[in-house]
Amino acid sequence: QKEVEQNSGPLSVPEGAIASLNCTYSDRGSQSFFWYRQYSGKSPELIMFIYSNGDKEDGRFTAQLNKASQYVSLLIRDSQPSDSATYLCAVPGGSNYKLTFGKGTLLTVNP
Amino acid sequence: SQTIHQWPATLVQPVGSPLSLECTVEGTSNPNLYWYRQAAGRGLQLLFYSVGIGQISSEVPQNLSASRPQDRQFILSSKKLLLSDSGFYLCAWSRVAGYEQYFGPGTRLTVT
């Protein structure tokens, strides 16, 4: 059973700070990793995906992948109150292009 | 561009009543389609997925069923709802050979 673990939080950071969200996974063979953002009462939105070791940057968001240690991180620079949401990590969960989701980390950015 | 629709947005149903939730995707062909449920304060639970018309795989045995009568239409049904069926139901799609899933707006179901 493929597992994805996330700290449920809540993670609270002041506005303008860097928020660091972490995710560990059990399957060493996982090749791709996805970050979703879910605002309260809304559906998840894909914000980042990463396939190879190292960093991938997109605006204020950076995904970091370390396959040897089996963790993937999402850094949010210059955090804004609008970043307050639950962030879900997902990895491929087997056949037919399924994803296994973590339970998410609740991030609160305080003005 | 691709768009995914779900309806209704909210639904309140009594225990024992039937259920039908619909999801449609526009702007793509032969997508993979998924039904998830998210109970209050809990993670995403994959219920069903489909890789083609009439092809349905069930992840969790329960009183729900799914059908895919057309390429871009996915329906979630129940003959008799239980209190435990309450939750946020999400439909998602991905490309034929892709893992990135894109979610619809969801249906919030309350069973009373």
Side-chain angles (χ1 to χ4, degrees), chain A residues 26-60:
Chain A
S26 62
D27 182 9
R28 284 192 171 275
S30 295
Q31 297 294 318
S32 52
F33 305 86
F34 304 87
W35 283 102
Y36 287 79
R37 176 177 62 199
Q38 186 175 22
Y39 291 114
S40 180
K42 302 295 185 182
S43 61
E45 173 192 12
L46 179 63
I47 56 172
M48 291 280 288
F49 55 87
I50 185 167
Y51 294 101
S52 54
N53 263 340
D55 296 358
K56 178 182 178 181
E57 188 173 316
D58 184 1
R60 295 186 295 111

mmCIF file of all heavy atoms in Angstrom, chain A residues 26-60:
data_model
loop_
_atom_site.group_PDB
_atom_site.id
_atom_site.type_symbol
_atom_site.label_atom_id
_atom_site.label_comp_id
_atom_site.label_asym_id
_atom_site.label_seq_id
_atom_site.Cartn_x
_atom_site.Cartn_y
_atom_site.Cartn_z
ATOM 1 N N SER A 26 6.188 6.434 0.650
ATOM 2 C CA SER A 26 6.741 5.115 0.978
ATOM 3 C C SER A 26 7.330 4.385 -0.222
ATOM 4 O O SER A 26 8.211 3.539 -0.054
ATOM 5 C CB SER A 26 5.651 4.249 1.611
ATOM 6 O OG SER A 26 4.582 4.047 0.696
ATOM 7 N N ASP A 27 6.853 4.705 -1.424
ATOM 8 C CA ASP A 27 7.262 3.940 -2.604
ATOM 9 C C ASP A 27 8.499 4.552 -3.243
ATOM 10 O O ASP A 27 8.428 5.624 -3.850
ATOM 11 C CB ASP A 27 6.115 3.896 -3.606
ATOM 12 C CG ASP A 27 6.448 3.067 -4.842
ATOM 13 O OD1 ASP A 27 7.503 2.395 -4.839
ATOM 14 O OD2 ASP A 27 5.651 3.097 -5.792
ATOM 15 N N ARG A 28 9.629 3.850 -3.139
ATOM 16 C CA ARG A 28 10.866 4.362 -3.724
ATOM 17 C C ARG A 28 10.793 4.509 -5.239
ATOM 18 O O ARG A 28 11.575 5.223 -5.836
ATOM 19 C CB ARG A 28 12.035 3.428 -3.364
ATOM 20 C CG ARG A 28 12.513 3.562 -1.944
ATOM 21 C CD ARG A 28 13.829 2.845 -1.750
ATOM 22 N NE ARG A 28 14.389 3.144 -0.437
ATOM 23 C CZ ARG A 28 15.127 4.205 -0.162
ATOM 24 N NH1 ARG A 28 15.414 5.073 -1.122
ATOM 25 N NH2 ARG A 28 15.591 4.428 1.044
ATOM 26 N N GLY A 29 9.848 3.780 -5.853
ATOM 27 C CA GLY A 29 9.743 3.835 -7.305
ATOM 28 C C GLY A 29 8.941 5.014 -7.828
ATOM 29 O O GLY A 29 8.842 5.195 -9.038
ATOM 30 N N SER A 30 8.380 5.824 -6.937
ATOM 31 C CA SER A 30 7.581 6.969 -7.385
ATOM 32 C C SER A 30 8.426 7.911 -8.225
ATOM 33 O O SER A 30 9.554 8.227 -7.871
ATOM 34 C CB SER A 30 7.002 7.713 -6.181
ATOM 35 O OG SER A 30 6.080 6.903 -5.480
ATOM 36 N N GLN A 31 7.852 8.336 -9.344
ATOM 37 C CA GLN A 31 8.610 9.155 -10.295
ATOM 38 C C GLN A 31 8.086 10.582 -10.397
ATOM 39 O O GLN A 31 8.765 11.439 -10.945
ATOM 40 C CB GLN A 31 8.544 8.506 -11.685
ATOM 41 C CG GLN A 31 9.187 7.135 -11.758
ATOM 42 C CD GLN A 31 10.688 7.204 -11.534
ATOM 43 O OE1 GLN A 31 11.349 8.109 -12.063
ATOM 44 N NE2 GLN A 31 11.223 6.298 -10.738
ATOM 45 N N SER A 32 6.884 10.816 -9.942
ATOM 46 C CA SER A 32 6.316 12.155 -10.078
ATOM 47 C C SER A 32 5.537 12.512 -8.822
ATOM 48 O O SER A 32 5.041 11.626 -8.123
ATOM 49 C CB SER A 32 5.411 12.242 -11.313
ATOM 50 O OG SER A 32 4.458 11.194 -11.302
ATOM 51 N N PHE A 33 5.455 13.825 -8.571
ATOM 52 C CA PHE A 33 4.890 14.286 -7.310
ATOM 53 C C PHE A 33 4.094 15.560 -7.572
ATOM 54 O O PHE A 33 4.499 16.393 -8.384
ATOM 55 C CB PHE A 33 6.016 14.550 -6.300
ATOM 56 C CG PHE A 33 6.891 13.346 -6.123
ATOM 57 C CD1 PHE A 33 7.959 13.127 -6.981
ATOM 58 C CD2 PHE A 33 6.616 12.412 -5.145
ATOM 59 C CE1 PHE A 33 8.744 11.990 -6.864
ATOM 60 C CE2 PHE A 33 7.398 11.280 -5.014
ATOM 61 C CZ PHE A 33 8.455 11.067 -5.874
ATOM 62 N N PHE A 34 2.988 15.678 -6.858
ATOM 63 C CA PHE A 34 2.054 16.758 -7.151
ATOM 64 C C PHE A 34 1.667 17.479 -5.869
ATOM 65 O O PHE A 34 1.508 16.858 -4.813
ATOM 66 C CB PHE A 34 0.792 16.190 -7.819
ATOM 67 C CG PHE A 34 1.086 15.390 -9.054
ATOM 68 C CD1 PHE A 34 1.383 14.046 -8.971
ATOM 69 C CD2 PHE A 34 1.087 16.002 -10.296
ATOM 70 C CE1 PHE A 34 1.685 13.309 -10.107
ATOM 71 C CE2 PHE A 34 1.373 15.278 -11.437
ATOM 72 C CZ PHE A 34 1.667 13.936 -11.338
ATOM 73 N N TRP A 35 1.532 18.784 -5.981
ATOM 74 C CA TRP A 35 1.019 19.602 -4.887
ATOM 75 C C TRP A 35 -0.290 20.250 -5.312
ATOM 76 O O TRP A 35 -0.376 20.873 -6.367
ATOM 77 C CB TRP A 35 2.018 20.682 -4.494
ATOM 78 C CG TRP A 35 3.163 20.166 -3.675
ATOM 79 C CD1 TRP A 35 4.427 19.901 -4.096
ATOM 80 C CD2 TRP A 35 3.138 19.880 -2.271
ATOM 81 N NE1 TRP A 35 5.183 19.444 -3.051
ATOM 82 C CE2 TRP A 35 4.434 19.428 -1.919
ATOM 83 C CE3 TRP A 35 2.167 19.954 -1.266
ATOM 84 C CZ2 TRP A 35 4.767 19.049 -0.621
ATOM 85 C CZ3 TRP A 35 2.495 19.583 0.020
ATOM 86 C CH2 TRP A 35 3.778 19.139 0.340
ATOM 87 N N TYR A 36 -1.290 20.092 -4.441
ATOM 88 C CA TYR A 36 -2.594 20.705 -4.660
ATOM 89 C C TYR A 36 -2.869 21.678 -3.517
ATOM 90 O O TYR A 36 -2.477 21.450 -2.376
ATOM 91 C CB TYR A 36 -3.706 19.656 -4.679
ATOM 92 C CG TYR A 36 -3.741 18.799 -5.917
ATOM 93 C CD1 TYR A 36 -2.867 17.723 -6.082
ATOM 94 C CD2 TYR A 36 -4.661 19.061 -6.935
ATOM 95 C CE1 TYR A 36 -2.910 16.939 -7.224
ATOM 96 C CE2 TYR A 36 -4.719 18.275 -8.085
ATOM 97 C CZ TYR A 36 -3.839 17.218 -8.211
ATOM 98 O OH TYR A 36 -3.886 16.443 -9.346
ATOM 99 N N ARG A 37 -3.589 22.734 -3.840
ATOM 100 C CA ARG A 37 -4.044 23.693 -2.846
ATOM 101 C C ARG A 37 -5.560 23.597 -2.765
ATOM 102 O O ARG A 37 -6.243 23.580 -3.784
ATOM 103 C CB ARG A 37 -3.638 25.113 -3.251
ATOM 104 C CG ARG A 37 -4.137 26.220 -2.336
ATOM 105 C CD ARG A 37 -3.612 27.563 -2.815
ATOM 106 N NE ARG A 37 -4.080 27.881 -4.147
ATOM 107 C CZ ARG A 37 -3.495 28.788 -4.937
ATOM 108 N NH1 ARG A 37 -2.430 29.456 -4.530
ATOM 109 N NH2 ARG A 37 -3.992 29.023 -6.134
ATOM 110 N N GLN A 38 -6.089 23.540 -1.543
ATOM 111 C CA GLN A 38 -7.530 23.446 -1.357
ATOM 112 C C GLN A 38 -7.976 24.508 -0.361
ATOM 113 O O GLN A 38 -7.675 24.420 0.837
ATOM 114 C CB GLN A 38 -7.948 22.052 -0.873
ATOM 115 C CG GLN A 38 -9.451 21.874 -0.795
ATOM 116 C CD GLN A 38 -9.877 20.455 -0.442
ATOM 117 O OE1 GLN A 38 -9.114 19.675 0.126
ATOM 118 N NE2 GLN A 38 -11.113 20.097 -0.799
ATOM 119 N N TYR A 39 -8.678 25.500 -0.865
ATOM 120 C CA TYR A 39 -9.278 26.490 0.017
ATOM 121 C C TYR A 39 -10.480 25.868 0.713
ATOM 122 O O TYR A 39 -11.117 24.952 0.183
ATOM 123 C CB TYR A 39 -9.705 27.724 -0.766
ATOM 124 C CG TYR A 39 -8.561 28.546 -1.315
ATOM 125 C CD1 TYR A 39 -8.354 28.666 -2.689
ATOM 126 C CD2 TYR A 39 -7.687 29.205 -0.465
ATOM 127 C CE1 TYR A 39 -7.307 29.419 -3.196
ATOM 128 C CE2 TYR A 39 -6.632 29.954 -0.960
ATOM 129 C CZ TYR A 39 -6.449 30.051 -2.326
ATOM 130 O OH TYR A 39 -5.407 30.797 -2.819
ATOM 131 N N SER A 40 -10.781 26.397 1.888
ATOM 132 C CA SER A 40 -11.892 25.866 2.677
ATOM 133 C C SER A 40 -13.190 25.858 1.871
ATOM 134 O O SER A 40 -13.600 26.882 1.305
ATOM 135 C CB SER A 40 -12.074 26.713 3.939
ATOM 136 O OG SER A 40 -13.142 26.219 4.723
ATOM 137 N N GLY A 41 -13.812 24.711 1.769
ATOM 138 C CA GLY A 41 -15.083 24.587 1.067
ATOM 139 C C GLY A 41 -14.972 24.466 -0.442
ATOM 140 O O GLY A 41 -15.997 24.387 -1.130
ATOM 141 N N LYS A 42 -13.750 24.460 -0.960
ATOM 142 C CA LYS A 42 -13.540 24.389 -2.406
ATOM 143 C C LYS A 42 -12.843 23.088 -2.780
ATOM 144 O O LYS A 42 -12.403 22.327 -1.924
ATOM 145 C CB LYS A 42 -12.696 25.584 -2.872
ATOM 146 C CG LYS A 42 -13.308 26.938 -2.536
ATOM 147 C CD LYS A 42 -14.613 27.155 -3.277
ATOM 148 C CE LYS A 42 -15.153 28.560 -3.030
ATOM 149 N NZ LYS A 42 -16.453 28.772 -3.711
ATOM 150 N N SER A 43 -12.746 22.852 -4.076
ATOM 151 C CA SER A 43 -12.089 21.640 -4.554
ATOM 152 C C SER A 43 -10.583 21.862 -4.684
ATOM 153 O O SER A 43 -10.116 22.999 -4.774
ATOM 154 C CB SER A 43 -12.685 21.229 -5.899
ATOM 155 O OG SER A 43 -12.490 22.241 -6.872
ATOM 156 N N PRO A 44 -9.792 20.787 -4.686
ATOM 157 C CA PRO A 44 -8.337 20.928 -4.817
ATOM 158 C C PRO A 44 -7.944 21.469 -6.193
ATOM 159 O O PRO A 44 -8.568 21.146 -7.210
ATOM 160 C CB PRO A 44 -7.829 19.495 -4.634
ATOM 161 C CG PRO A 44 -8.922 18.775 -3.915
ATOM 162 C CD PRO A 44 -10.184 19.387 -4.414
ATOM 163 N N GLU A 45 -6.891 22.264 -6.193
ATOM 164 C CA GLU A 45 -6.367 22.875 -7.407
ATOM 165 C C GLU A 45 -4.900 22.494 -7.543
ATOM 166 O O GLU A 45 -4.109 22.697 -6.619
ATOM 167 C CB GLU A 45 -6.511 24.394 -7.316
ATOM 168 C CG GLU A 45 -5.852 25.172 -8.434
ATOM 169 C CD GLU A 45 -5.792 26.654 -8.126
ATOM 170 O OE1 GLU A 45 -6.053 27.051 -6.976
ATOM 171 O OE2 GLU A 45 -5.466 27.436 -9.040
ATOM 172 N N LEU A 46 -4.518 21.949 -8.689
ATOM 173 C CA LEU A 46 -3.127 21.577 -8.927
ATOM 174 C C LEU A 46 -2.276 22.835 -9.061
ATOM 175 O O LEU A 46 -2.565 23.704 -9.887
ATOM 176 C CB LEU A 46 -3.027 20.744 -10.194
ATOM 177 C CG LEU A 46 -1.641 20.288 -10.620
ATOM 178 C CD1 LEU A 46 -1.026 19.362 -9.581
ATOM 179 C CD2 LEU A 46 -1.698 19.591 -11.977
ATOM 180 N N ILE A 47 -1.231 22.950 -8.240
ATOM 181 C CA ILE A 47 -0.381 24.135 -8.311
ATOM 182 C C ILE A 47 1.044 23.824 -8.747
ATOM 183 O O ILE A 47 1.715 24.689 -9.316
ATOM 184 C CB ILE A 47 -0.357 24.901 -6.969
ATOM 185 C CG1 ILE A 47 0.091 24.009 -5.807
ATOM 186 C CG2 ILE A 47 -1.715 25.543 -6.690
ATOM 187 C CD1 ILE A 47 0.307 24.772 -4.511
ATOM 188 N N MET A 48 1.536 22.621 -8.491
ATOM 189 C CA MET A 48 2.906 22.285 -8.854
ATOM 190 C C MET A 48 3.023 20.791 -9.081
ATOM 191 O O MET A 48 2.332 20.001 -8.425
ATOM 192 C CB MET A 48 3.893 22.666 -7.746
ATOM 193 C CG MET A 48 4.108 24.134 -7.520
ATOM 194 S SD MET A 48 5.239 24.882 -8.695
ATOM 195 C CE MET A 48 6.803 24.192 -8.147
ATOM 196 N N PHE A 49 3.922 20.396 -9.985
ATOM 197 C CA PHE A 49 4.311 19.005 -10.042
ATOM 198 C C PHE A 49 5.792 18.937 -10.365
ATOM 199 O O PHE A 49 6.359 19.852 -10.982
ATOM 200 C CB PHE A 49 3.479 18.214 -11.052
ATOM 201 C CG PHE A 49 3.474 18.765 -12.440
ATOM 202 C CD1 PHE A 49 4.448 18.417 -13.354
ATOM 203 C CD2 PHE A 49 2.461 19.632 -12.843
ATOM 204 C CE1 PHE A 49 4.431 18.920 -14.638
ATOM 205 C CE2 PHE A 49 2.432 20.146 -14.121
ATOM 206 C CZ PHE A 49 3.414 19.786 -15.031
ATOM 207 N N ILE A 50 6.427 17.881 -9.927
ATOM 208 C CA ILE A 50 7.860 17.743 -10.100
ATOM 209 C C ILE A 50 8.173 16.291 -10.390
ATOM 210 O O ILE A 50 7.573 15.384 -9.809
ATOM 211 C CB ILE A 50 8.615 18.263 -8.849
ATOM 212 C CG1 ILE A 50 10.125 18.253 -9.061
ATOM 213 C CG2 ILE A 50 8.213 17.481 -7.603
ATOM 214 C CD1 ILE A 50 10.881 19.037 -7.994
ATOM 215 N N TYR A 51 9.121 16.092 -11.335
ATOM 216 C CA TYR A 51 9.452 14.745 -11.755
ATOM 217 C C TYR A 51 10.886 14.342 -11.429
ATOM 218 O O TYR A 51 11.215 13.169 -11.359
ATOM 219 C CB TYR A 51 9.237 14.588 -13.266
ATOM 220 C CG TYR A 51 7.796 14.691 -13.690
ATOM 221 C CD1 TYR A 51 7.317 15.875 -14.245
ATOM 222 C CD2 TYR A 51 6.926 13.630 -13.532
ATOM 223 C CE1 TYR A 51 5.997 15.982 -14.632
ATOM 224 C CE2 TYR A 51 5.600 13.733 -13.925
ATOM 225 C CZ TYR A 51 5.144 14.905 -14.472
ATOM 226 O OH TYR A 51 3.826 15.001 -14.849
ATOM 227 N N SER A 52 11.742 15.313 -11.265
ATOM 228 C CA SER A 52 13.151 14.947 -11.105
ATOM 229 C C SER A 52 13.712 15.560 -9.840
ATOM 230 O O SER A 52 13.179 16.541 -9.311
ATOM 231 C CB SER A 52 13.955 15.401 -12.324
ATOM 232 O OG SER A 52 13.764 16.773 -12.559
ATOM 233 N N ASN A 53 14.814 15.002 -9.390
ATOM 234 C CA ASN A 53 15.457 15.495 -8.181
ATOM 235 C C ASN A 53 15.840 16.959 -8.313
ATOM 236 O O ASN A 53 16.159 17.431 -9.400
ATOM 237 C CB ASN A 53 16.720 14.681 -7.890
ATOM 238 C CG ASN A 53 16.461 13.591 -6.873
ATOM 239 O OD1 ASN A 53 15.504 13.629 -6.116
ATOM 240 N ND2 ASN A 53 17.337 12.608 -6.863
ATOM 241 N N GLY A 54 15.798 17.653 -7.209
ATOM 242 C CA GLY A 54 16.198 19.049 -7.213
ATOM 243 C C GLY A 54 15.009 19.956 -6.989
ATOM 244 O O GLY A 54 14.036 19.571 -6.366
ATOM 245 N N ASP A 55 15.111 21.163 -7.496
ATOM 246 C CA ASP A 55 14.098 22.192 -7.282
ATOM 247 C C ASP A 55 13.383 22.543 -8.569
ATOM 248 O O ASP A 55 13.962 22.496 -9.646
ATOM 249 C CB ASP A 55 14.745 23.474 -6.727
ATOM 250 C CG ASP A 55 15.370 23.268 -5.364
ATOM 251 O OD1 ASP A 55 15.281 22.151 -4.822
ATOM 252 O OD2 ASP A 55 15.964 24.228 -4.846
ATOM 253 N N LYS A 56 12.115 22.903 -8.408
ATOM 254 C CA LYS A 56 11.347 23.457 -9.522
ATOM 255 C C LYS A 56 10.640 24.693 -9.005
ATOM 256 O O LYS A 56 9.938 24.634 -8.003
ATOM 257 C CB LYS A 56 10.322 22.439 -10.043
ATOM 258 C CG LYS A 56 9.471 22.987 -11.175
ATOM 259 C CD LYS A 56 8.438 21.963 -11.638
ATOM 260 C CE LYS A 56 7.575 22.538 -12.736
ATOM 261 N NZ LYS A 56 6.540 21.555 -13.183
ATOM 262 N N GLU A 57 10.847 25.799 -9.693
ATOM 263 C CA GLU A 57 10.315 27.077 -9.231
ATOM 264 C C GLU A 57 9.211 27.558 -10.148
ATOM 265 O O GLU A 57 9.302 27.422 -11.370
ATOM 266 C CB GLU A 57 11.452 28.108 -9.174
ATOM 267 C CG GLU A 57 11.062 29.422 -8.518
ATOM 268 C CD GLU A 57 12.272 30.335 -8.345
ATOM 269 O OE1 GLU A 57 13.339 29.828 -7.923
ATOM 270 O OE2 GLU A 57 12.149 31.539 -8.645
ATOM 271 N N ASP A 58 8.161 28.123 -9.559
ATOM 272 C CA ASP A 58 7.072 28.713 -10.323
ATOM 273 C C ASP A 58 6.556 29.903 -9.525
ATOM 274 O O ASP A 58 5.773 29.736 -8.588
ATOM 275 C CB ASP A 58 5.965 27.694 -10.573
ATOM 276 C CG ASP A 58 4.851 28.256 -11.444
ATOM 277 O OD1 ASP A 58 4.938 29.425 -11.877
ATOM 278 O OD2 ASP A 58 3.874 27.527 -11.703
ATOM 279 N N GLY A 59 7.041 31.076 -9.875
ATOM 280 C CA GLY A 59 6.638 32.265 -9.136
ATOM 281 C C GLY A 59 7.124 32.203 -7.705
ATOM 282 O O GLY A 59 8.312 32.000 -7.444
ATOM 283 N N ARG A 60 6.228 32.345 -6.742
ATOM 284 C CA ARG A 60 6.613 32.297 -5.323
ATOM 285 C C ARG A 60 6.706 30.857 -4.795
ATOM 286 O O ARG A 60 7.064 30.652 -3.642
ATOM 287 C CB ARG A 60 5.586 33.073 -4.493
ATOM 288 C CG ARG A 60 5.533 34.565 -4.796
ATOM 289 C CD ARG A 60 4.614 35.308 -3.838
ATOM 290 N NE ARG A 60 3.219 34.890 -3.980
ATOM 291 C CZ ARG A 60 2.555 34.206 -3.068
ATOM 292 N NH1 ARG A 60 3.144 33.828 -1.935
ATOM 293 N NH2 ARG A 60 1.277 33.875 -3.257
#
